[in-house]
Amino acid sequence: MTGRGQASAGDLLELVRTGRATTRGALQQVTGLSRATVGQRLERLFRAGWLREGAGGPVGSPLGGRPSITLEFDDAHAVVLAADLDTRHARACVLTLTGEILAEHGGTLVIEDGPDVVLGELGRWFAELLEKAGHRPSEVCGIGLAVPGPVDSETGRVVQPPIMPGWDGYDIRGRLARAFTEHTGAPRVPVLVDNDANLMAYGEQRTGHPDCSAFVLVKVSTGIGAGVVVGGSIFRGIDGGAGDIGHIRVPEGAGAQCRCGSYGCLAAVASGGAVARRLAEAGVRAASGSDVRDLLASGHPEAMALAREAGRSVGDVLATVVTLLNPGVLMIAGDLAGTPFLTGVRELLYQRALPRSTAHLEVVTSALGERAGLVGAGALVVEHLYAPERVEERLLALGM
């Protein structure tokens, strides 16, 4: 906020959306604006359809009187589209502005087919999902996309992704915006792209652990990556490389070659793909992390033993992560996120990390499951489009 007496319409919307001030009187008190100025700025938000009046709140005076009318963010004025790409599978959905999934689809989408094909197909999925959800393409305010690689958040382009051949530096935002228009006939909308582990962490932290100021999610599927949320915001590092723990060298991986080309990476010995490879070498039918997930669900003893061993390798690395970041929640997600893997993580984590670092640490598994990336991608779009400075730009563009 720009300061008392200078709060914009965007600042007022932010206060209402976050629940920090939900009546006209509370907005005056927090911002220092006059009643007339608050009224003028709220009027712009009402005209845009972004605010609505709710029920009367409690009477503020012991002498009684009329209850204050509450203000609410109107999440019915637009919808968000989101998609989450894995190496051979994808999920897409339509969400409300408050994160409720209205329609969802999952299916085979092979990332090695390249960005033009994959993003074009997502455009078709989005058109079908909007029809299923009963919403017009013109109601879409933005699209969020989670990808399994490091992303430069300024450009939305992936940077040297080990498991996304043909995607390095590609204009994902532009192609997905075009695909949406091609399949729906609607004007282009903003597209935001981020790493899948980042968006999973964002979705899980916002919905299940909003008061946790340092949150870490580790996704163990085809590869291994971590998402970090600090102070309610995704921590990305300088150029989107934060959290790439799958490429930390570990002693037990000395002879194992990673898909990045190096030897000894954690992902080469403890990812879903690595466990699948070891199972295949033992004569068990497994070609991917999703195959390992199915074997674990059926209680396959060899899969369970290897998952626990992989968990120990990851737990050893996470001891350093936990010591460095001192998070309140460490969440394990992805194909291997189950009891055997979590047991292995706990064994090494609590053995290697300082007791001070783990005294108040919760080690848990994903609550949102396969929807975490979708929820996080939707939230990313909403936080971007309804940030105070962007609200002002959008209101001016609407002539308000």
Side-chain angles (χ1 to χ4, degrees), residues 47 85 88 110 132 142 146 148-149 171 195 207 244 296-298 313 354 373 390 397:
R47 285 168 54 206
L85 298 180
R88 304 189 65 82
V110 181
K132 181 179 176 182
D171 181 16
N195 171 261
T207 58
D244 205 0
L296 291 171
S298 68
S313 295
L354 292 171
R390 206 147 288 107

Side-chain angles (χ1 to χ4, degrees), residues 314-325:
V314 173
D316 199 5
V317 170
L318 288 179
T320 301
V321 173
V322 166
T323 301
L324 179 66
L325 295 177

Side-chain angles (χ1 to χ4, degrees), residues 22 24-25 66 68 72 77 112 114 128 139 169 215 251 289 298 380:
T22 57
R24 288 171 173 80
R66 294 179 60 186
S68 300
E72 299 173 352
H77 71 271
E112 289 185 354
E128 293 175 353
E139 295 178 79
F215 179 97
S298 68
L380 186 73

Side-chain angles (χ1 to χ4, degrees), residues 33-71:
L33 295 174
S34 68
R35 180 173 180 172
T37 302
V38 166
Q40 291 167 0
R41 293 181 183 175
L42 289 179
E43 180 60 26
R44 298 173 68 199
L45 298 171
F46 281 120
R47 285 168 54 206
W50 299 350
L51 272 189
R52 65 186 174 208
E53 289 187 341
V59 175
S61 169
L63 301 177
R66 294 179 60 186
S68 300
I69 299 298
T70 59
L71 302 170

Side-chain angles (χ1 to χ4, degrees), residues 236-275:
R236 299 182 177 89
I238 296 298
D239 61 4
D244 205 0
I245 65 170
H247 300 287
I248 292 174
R249 305 291 176 84
V250 293
E252 61 269 36
Q257 185 173 21
C258 182
R259 294 184 67 168
C260 72
S262 298
Y263 286 84
C265 293
L266 178 65
V269 296
S271 66
V275 172

Side-chain angles (χ1 to χ4, degrees), residues 235-386:
F235 179 76
R236 299 182 177 89
I238 296 298
D239 61 4
D244 205 0
I245 65 170
H247 300 287
I248 292 174
R249 305 291 176 84
V250 293
E252 61 269 36
Q257 185 173 21
C258 182
R259 294 184 67 168
C260 72
S262 298
Y263 286 84
C265 293
L266 178 65
V269 296
S271 66
V275 172
R277 186 174 61 251
R278 292 184 64 182
L279 287 168
E281 290 168 354
V284 180
R285 294 186 63 179
S288 65
S290 58
D291 292 335
V292 177
R293 180 188 60 207
D294 294 341
L295 289 167
L296 291 171
S298 68
H300 190 283
E302 195 157 0
M304 293 176 72
L306 287 174
R308 182 168 179 171
E309 186 179 329
R312 288 173 60 85
S313 295
V314 173
D316 199 5
V317 170
L318 288 179
T320 301
V321 173
V322 166
T323 301
L324 179 66
L325 295 177
N326 189 209
V329 175
L330 171 61
M331 179 173 284
I332 307 298
D335 292 331
L336 267 59
T339 301
F341 186 85
L342 190 64
T343 299
V345 168
R346 287 176 178 273
E347 287 174 356
L348 262 289
L349 173 62
Y350 287 103
Q351 179 183 323
R352 300 291 170 85
L354 292 171
R356 174 69 184 83
S357 301
T358 58
H360 303 288
L361 176 68
E362 289 183 66
V363 182
V364 299
T365 53
S366 171
L368 295 175
E370 293 182 327
R371 291 179 161 183
L374 296 174
V375 172
L380 186 73
V381 171
V382 172
E383 292 305 316
H384 172 78
L385 291 178
Y386 295 92

Side-chain angles (χ1 to χ4, degrees), residues 100-125:
E100 178 189 353
I101 293 180
L102 302 174
E104 185 177 5
H105 174 71
T108 300
L109 209 52
V110 181
I111 212 159
E112 289 185 354
D113 287 344
D116 189 58
V117 171
V118 170
L119 299 174
E121 182 67 1
L122 277 183
R124 185 178 70 80
W125 286 14

